[in-house]
Amino acid sequence: MKSPLLFLPGAVAAEGHDEGVAAHYGDLFREQRALADGTGFVDLSHRGVVTVTGDDRLSWLHLLLTQHVSELPAGQATEALILSAHGHIEHALYLVDDGESVWAHVEPGTQEALIGYLESMKFFYRVEVADRTEEFAVVHLPAGSIAEPPKGVVVRETPHGRDLFLPRAGLESFAAEHGPAAGILAYEALRVETHRPRVGFETDHRTIPHELGWIGSAVHLQKGCYRGQETVARVHNLGKPPRRLVFLHLDGSEVHLPGHGTPVRLASDGEEGRQLGFITTSARHHELGPIALALVKRNVPVDAELLAGDTAAAQEPVVEQ
């Protein structure tokens, strides 16, 4: 879905996974500072929007998701995962129930696969699953924003801000009233700062929730009956995950940022040393400078100096060793 806000002054289109919305509107750091101060908004209208309606929606989703949602109060936001049979992360859903429907936004372009799985699991349950991406756009208001969402709009409120499920036809009028707009690069820089993982960035085909710190926030350990639960329970009770997420402060003298997939090695081993992990997301932060998230082997010493490609990096643990 290509956003009409790409026609705002200064808009530069994002590429790759976030294609369809603006990377920035001409001043990355100004946009970050605005979000940090609780002003402006972020256009996330490229994300998929899925709804589940019907009397059994919460009890049914409870059987499929890693989160405890059978008694989810109306208006309370949560997040949940769908795992493979081996416990690997397939989807992350950012949820809220409005009393009649569960609304979720998901990674761009993944809603079709998600709906295909959900449809295959309906059986006799009284639920209807729908792709609402063409009708609704996700807009993010930062934490501290005093902006009033339009009347009747479903809101998902979290400590990091509010996600609005806005009718797509009202996106331009919303922007005119609630600007300034901030691009996805500003949003991503703040996401990296707060160590929040994202499917397709911090995950690969074998990532399990424990590696990213999703236990607790997206995985409820006191429930069962979902695909992949055996792996979650086994790792939690009997072992530790093979990798862990770390936050990196990158050498600010480097002109370029190490991209997704850049090998991470011990600085003492140099650029030819053994690969111990990879960069998942990197960003330029308005206060911290160049930063990144990386997934590394669990036994990498927490005080070790690292190299991300040819860029020196100091790590802060996100997940315990």
Side-chain angles (χ1 to χ4, degrees):
M1 301 295 293
K2 189 172 183 179
S3 173
L5 303 192
L6 286 171
F7 296 101
L8 289 178
V12 174
E15 298 178 348
H17 199 69
D18 288 317
E19 182 180 1
V21 296
H24 60 82
Y25 295 90
D27 192 334
L28 172 61
F29 291 155
R30 177 189 60 78
E31 294 165 29
Q32 283 187 38
R33 287 191 290 269
L35 293 178
D37 291 340
T39 59
F41 72 95
V42 184
D43 176 13
L44 300 178
S45 61
H46 62 319
R47 292 185 64 82
V49 176
V50 175
T51 60
V52 181
T53 57
D55 293 343
D56 295 336
R57 64 188 184 280
L58 291 176
S59 59
W60 176 67
L61 286 171
H62 186 78
L63 299 175
L64 305 178
L65 305 180
T66 57
Q67 188 58 275
H68 196 299
V69 297
S70 61
E71 300 172 3
L72 183 68
Q76 180 175 308
T78 191
E79 56 189 63
L81 307 176
I82 288 180
L83 307 179
S84 74
H86 299 291
H88 302 139
I89 298 168
E90 293 188 347
H91 297 279
L93 293 77
Y94 300 86
L95 305 165
V96 67
D97 185 88
D98 68 359
E100 296 181 354
S101 301
V102 172
W103 293 74
H105 64 81
V106 298
E107 288 299 321
T110 64
Q111 63 270 21
E112 184 175 341
L114 171 62
I115 290 172
Y117 171 68
L118 294 178
E119 288 285 352
S120 73
M121 301 300 290
K122 284 173 65 173
F123 304 117
F124 55 85
Y125 289 93
R126 296 169 295 174
V127 293
E128 293 295 332
V129 182
D131 183 352
R132 309 296 295 277
T133 311
E134 292 190 1
E135 304 165 68
F136 290 89
V138 180
V139 172
H140 176 78
L141 293 173
S145 172
I146 61 173
E148 287 295 329
K151 187 176 181 180
V153 167
V154 176
V155 177
R156 180 180 177 273
E157 186 159 1
T158 77
H160 305 290
R162 289 174 288 170
D163 298 335
L164 279 55
F165 294 89
L166 186 73
R168 192 170 288 274
L171 191 55
E172 290 178 272
S173 60
F174 179 90
E177 183 176 346
H178 294 86
I184 192 70
L185 291 182
Y187 180 83
E188 284 289 279
L190 299 184
R191 178 180 71 81
V192 172
E193 177 193 12
T194 51
H195 311 161
R196 286 176 285 150
R198 184 177 172 190
V199 169
F201 289 73
E202 279 62 58
T203 65
D204 58 19
H205 66 284
R206 58 191 180 96
T207 307
I208 59 176
H210 315 67
E211 296 176 323
L212 304 184
W214 251 326
I215 301 298
S217 63
V219 178
H220 195 289
L221 292 174
Q222 302 305 314
K223 63 155 293 197
C225 302
Y226 61 87
R227 189 173 67 176
Q229 184 227 352
E230 294 83 358
T231 297
V232 170
R234 184 170 62 252
V235 174
H236 179 74
N237 293 320
L238 300 177
K240 293 185 176 181
R243 302 178 296 181
R244 58 186 177 87
L245 190 67
V246 296
F247 175 75
L248 299 180
H249 293 273
L250 302 174
D251 182 0
S253 65
E254 295 290 341
V255 175
H256 70 281
L257 286 173
H260 177 82
T262 299
V264 172
R265 299 178 171 89
L266 289 176
S268 57
D269 292 343
E271 295 179 41
E272 301 303 318
R274 180 168 60 95
Q275 181 173 342
L276 302 175
F278 64 94
I279 294 292
T280 60
T281 307
S282 58
R284 297 191 185 279
H285 192 275
H286 69 288
E287 289 183 342
L288 300 176
I291 56 177
L293 293 173
L295 201 56
V296 301
K297 292 182 181 295
R298 178 175 57 83
N299 59 3
V300 174
V302 295
D303 59 349
E305 293 291 323
L306 303 176
L307 275 181
D310 57 1
T311 302
Q315 62 170 313
E316 292 182 9
V318 175
V319 174
E320 293 184 5
Q321 191 176 31

